[in-house]
């Protein structure tokens, strides 16, 4: 089986396909600084691609399926602020059309998020423009009722990275061969999407083809498949237990589990389809006006940690005044959840680590998570994380003291 994987790796990388700049830099799942920024640049008629409105025209006609002419002055805005203190990832505005695009890689839906975005777009359209809201996810899944609230789903264009964006990118990679740098950049992004979504020809496809023609290898793979959830949960449990112990030593009190009964059940349920996401451990830092200030370590797809305010009922709440004060003294968070209202600040890793930062994505179970099997690597990641958490706690406690003085 190992020989099969190695042979498939070599076949999949015979022309250097695995050398992907996004993966090397560790930004492959960053919704804001990678995907939103990249897509906005392509959609801009004045983008550095030098192709004018060709990308935008094809996006509107071929992906959104709109028979609208995007002409005149076009404005592209990233992180457009709404009246409700939210931010639309990408907004395209022309004299006759306004398009809002919400990009989702790892972040979950927020309460009434798409309803608020649709309302904002229509207010800006003022009956003079056509307002369009697109919901872009890895697989094109529809948004949740939690995000739609009173908005009808038919008002939302559900798009996928796996099909819509990948095919759009692939089309222009071929058309732009006269611009090698642009063509290569598009090919790199297309390969990133194939890795994230499992679309296209990849090492996985090559292995699958070989397994389909060899009974012994397929039987071995089926046995491994049954054991994988237990093996993965063991790796996660070891990480949670050692992180919890390190936090207890550094902060003077052990964190508590939330979202599940114990670390063992949390780890087991995560890989057996019975657990939710947004579970983890938390440590109470102090109280402020009857509410608790807490340090959270959360798992959705990737481990992220930071500070939140809890109401007396135990639910996380938004406190923009405290968020603004805290961010005056801290480096801005680098996790996707950092832009969500109920996180004061949120990180995947220390912005100034002592070694190369690692995003621990247990959903994809990629290289950074596999590195946790090595004791030295695991301890280095945990120590770096806890050292950063201690700095966050100290800053938060100083803020509490100044607020109650």
């Amino acid at each position: 089986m190992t020989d099969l994987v190695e042979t498939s790796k070599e076949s999949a990388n015979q022309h250097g396909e695995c050398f992907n700049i996004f993966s090397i830099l560790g930004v492959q799942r960053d919704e804001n600084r990678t995907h939103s920024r990249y897509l906005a640049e392509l959609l801009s008629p004045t983008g550095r691609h030098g192709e004018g409105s060709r990308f935008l025209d094809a996006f509107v006609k071929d992906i959104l399926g709109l028979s609208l002419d995007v002409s005149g002055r076009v404005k592209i805005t990233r992180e457009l602020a709404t009246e409700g203190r939210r931010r639309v990832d990408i907004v395209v505005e022309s004299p006759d059309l306004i398009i809002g695009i919400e990009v989702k890689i790892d972040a979950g839906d927020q309460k009434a998020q798409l309803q608020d975005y649709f309302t904002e777009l229509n207010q800006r359209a003022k009956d003079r423009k056509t307002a369009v809201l697109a919901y872009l996810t890895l697989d094109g899944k529809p948004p949740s009722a939690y995000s739609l609230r009173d908005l009808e789903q038919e008002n939302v264009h559900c798009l996928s990275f796996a099909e819509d964006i990948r095919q759009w990118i692939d089309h222009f990679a071929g058309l732009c061969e006269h611009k090698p740098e642009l063509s290569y950049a598009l090919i790199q992004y297309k390969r990133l999407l194939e890795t994230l979504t499992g679309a296209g020809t990849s090492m996985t496809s090559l292995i699958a083809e070989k397994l389909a023609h060899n009974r012994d290898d397929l039987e071995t793979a089926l046995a491994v498949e049954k054991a994988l959830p237990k093996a993965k949960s063991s790796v996660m449990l070891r990480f949670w237990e050692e992180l919890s112990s390190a936090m207890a030593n550094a902060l003077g009190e052990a964190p508590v589990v939330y979202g599940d009964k114990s670390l063992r059940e949390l780890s087991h349920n995560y890989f057996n389809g019975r657990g939710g996401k947004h579970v983890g451990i938390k440590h109470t830092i102090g109280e402020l006006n009857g509410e608790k200030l807490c340090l959270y370590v959360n798992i959705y797809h990737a481990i992220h940690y930071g500070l939140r305010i809890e109401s007396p009922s135990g639910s996380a709440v938004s406190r923009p005044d405290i968020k603004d004060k805290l961010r005056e003294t801290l480096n801005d968070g680098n996790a996707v959840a950092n832009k969500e209202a109920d996180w004061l600040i949120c990180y995947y890793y220390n912005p100034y680590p002592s070694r190369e930062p690692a995003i621990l994505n247990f959903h994809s179970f990629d290289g950074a998570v596999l590195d946790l099997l090595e004791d030295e690597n695991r301890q280095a990641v945990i120590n770096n994380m806890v050292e950063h958490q201690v700095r966050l706690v100290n800053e938060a406690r100083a803020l509490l003291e100044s607020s109650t003085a």
Side-chain angles (χ1 to χ4, degrees), residues 76-376:
I76 307 290
T77 306
R78 291 183 57 253
E79 298 290 299
L80 177 73
T82 70
E83 289 186 1
R85 298 178 66 92
R86 282 178 156 161
R87 295 185 180 276
V88 188
D89 289 325
I90 305 171
V91 173
V92 181
E93 190 167 3
S94 74
D96 302 313
L97 180 66
I98 182 168
I99 305 169
I101 306 172
E102 174 62 11
V103 179
K104 293 286 187 186
I105 301 293
D106 291 325
D109 286 347
Q110 300 176 38
K111 184 178 181 180
Q113 183 180 28
L114 292 184
Q115 177 181 274
D116 289 351
Y117 289 172
F118 191 73
T119 300
E120 180 73 25
L121 294 174
N122 277 286
Q123 287 176 347
R124 290 174 179 266
K126 296 180 180 178
D127 297 324
R128 300 195 305 267
K129 305 179 182 185
T130 300
V132 176
L133 177 60
Y135 183 70
L136 175 57
T137 62
L138 291 177
D139 56 6
K141 67 179 181 181
S144 65
Y146 183 66
S147 180
L148 289 168
R149 199 171 184 178
D150 298 326
L151 179 65
E152 295 294 332
Q153 187 173 308
E154 64 187 26
N155 291 313
V156 181
H157 291 253
C158 295
L159 307 178
S160 77
F161 279 105
E163 296 296 331
D164 300 304
I165 301 301
R166 184 174 65 88
Q167 291 175 7
W168 177 60
I169 294 290
D170 187 47
H171 172 71
F172 279 102
L175 289 182
C176 295
E177 288 181 347
H178 63 291
K179 293 182 176 180
E181 297 296 334
L182 173 58
S183 182
Y184 293 157
L186 292 170
I187 291 170
Q188 285 271 294
Y189 188 64
K190 185 191 77 165
R191 287 177 181 155
L192 168 63
L193 298 185
E194 290 173 348
T195 299
L196 291 177
T197 64
T201 302
S202 63
M203 186 185 76
T204 302
S205 300
L206 293 171
I207 293 175
E209 180 64 20
K210 292 180 182 298
L211 288 176
H213 292 86
N214 187 301
R215 178 187 176 117
D216 290 340
D217 284 345
L218 184 56
E219 284 183 342
T220 302
L222 290 171
V224 170
E225 181 185 30
K226 293 178 182 178
L228 268 178
K230 186 173 183 179
K232 288 180 175 180
S233 66
S234 295
V235 174
M236 177 183 274
L237 178 60
R238 188 185 307 129
F239 168 79
W240 279 124
E241 288 179 339
E242 293 184 10
L243 175 63
S244 181
S245 176
M247 289 174 65
N249 290 336
L251 300 173
E253 185 178 347
V256 297
V257 179
Y258 66 89
D260 221 319
K261 295 179 181 179
S262 67
L263 292 177
R264 183 172 295 279
E265 288 200 24
L266 183 159
S267 303
H268 174 79
N269 291 339
Y270 187 89
F271 295 106
N272 286 273
R274 285 179 287 185
K277 304 297 195 298
H278 296 308
V279 293
I281 56 180
K282 64 182 180 180
H283 172 82
T284 301
I285 297 170
E287 293 192 3
L288 184 63
N289 300 325
E291 298 176 325
K292 292 181 180 179
L293 179 59
C294 299
L295 169 68
Y296 273 71
V297 184
N298 190 74
I299 174 73
Y300 181 70
H301 287 326
I303 293 286
H304 48 284
Y305 61 91
L307 302 173
R308 304 172 94 174
I309 295 285
E310 274 191 5
S311 68
S313 65
S315 60
V317 294
S318 171
R319 291 292 179 264
D321 54 331
I322 299 176
K323 176 184 289 192
D324 291 342
K325 289 181 181 178
L326 191 64
R327 295 191 182 197
E328 289 176 1
T329 60
L330 292 171
N331 297 309
D332 194 25
N334 50 35
V336 169
N338 189 63
K339 66 179 181 180
E340 295 182 5
D342 59 357
W343 282 91
L344 300 179
I345 200 158
C346 187
Y347 301 87
Y348 288 129
Y349 52 79
N350 180 359
Y352 297 118
S354 58
R355 54 179 292 162
E356 184 178 354
I359 299 179
L360 302 176
N361 192 311
F362 278 94
H363 179 74
S364 62
F365 226 87
D366 55 12
V369 174
L370 292 173
D371 287 344
L372 295 177
L373 273 71
E374 300 291 334
D375 293 344
E376 184 178 349

Side-chain angles (χ1 to χ4, degrees), residues 355-405:
R355 54 179 292 162
E356 184 178 354
I359 299 179
L360 302 176
N361 192 311
F362 278 94
H363 179 74
S364 62
F365 226 87
D366 55 12
V369 174
L370 292 173
D371 287 344
L372 295 177
L373 273 71
E374 300 291 334
D375 293 344
E376 184 178 349
N377 291 332
R378 187 174 64 256
Q379 287 305 312
V381 170
I382 290 174
N383 290 342
N384 184 271
M385 190 177 292
V386 172
E387 286 174 6
H388 187 214
Q389 289 171 352
V390 169
R391 294 203 301 275
L392 294 182
V393 168
N394 290 338
E395 291 289 350
R397 283 176 174 160
L399 176 62
L400 282 175
E401 293 173 1
S402 64
S403 298
T404 56

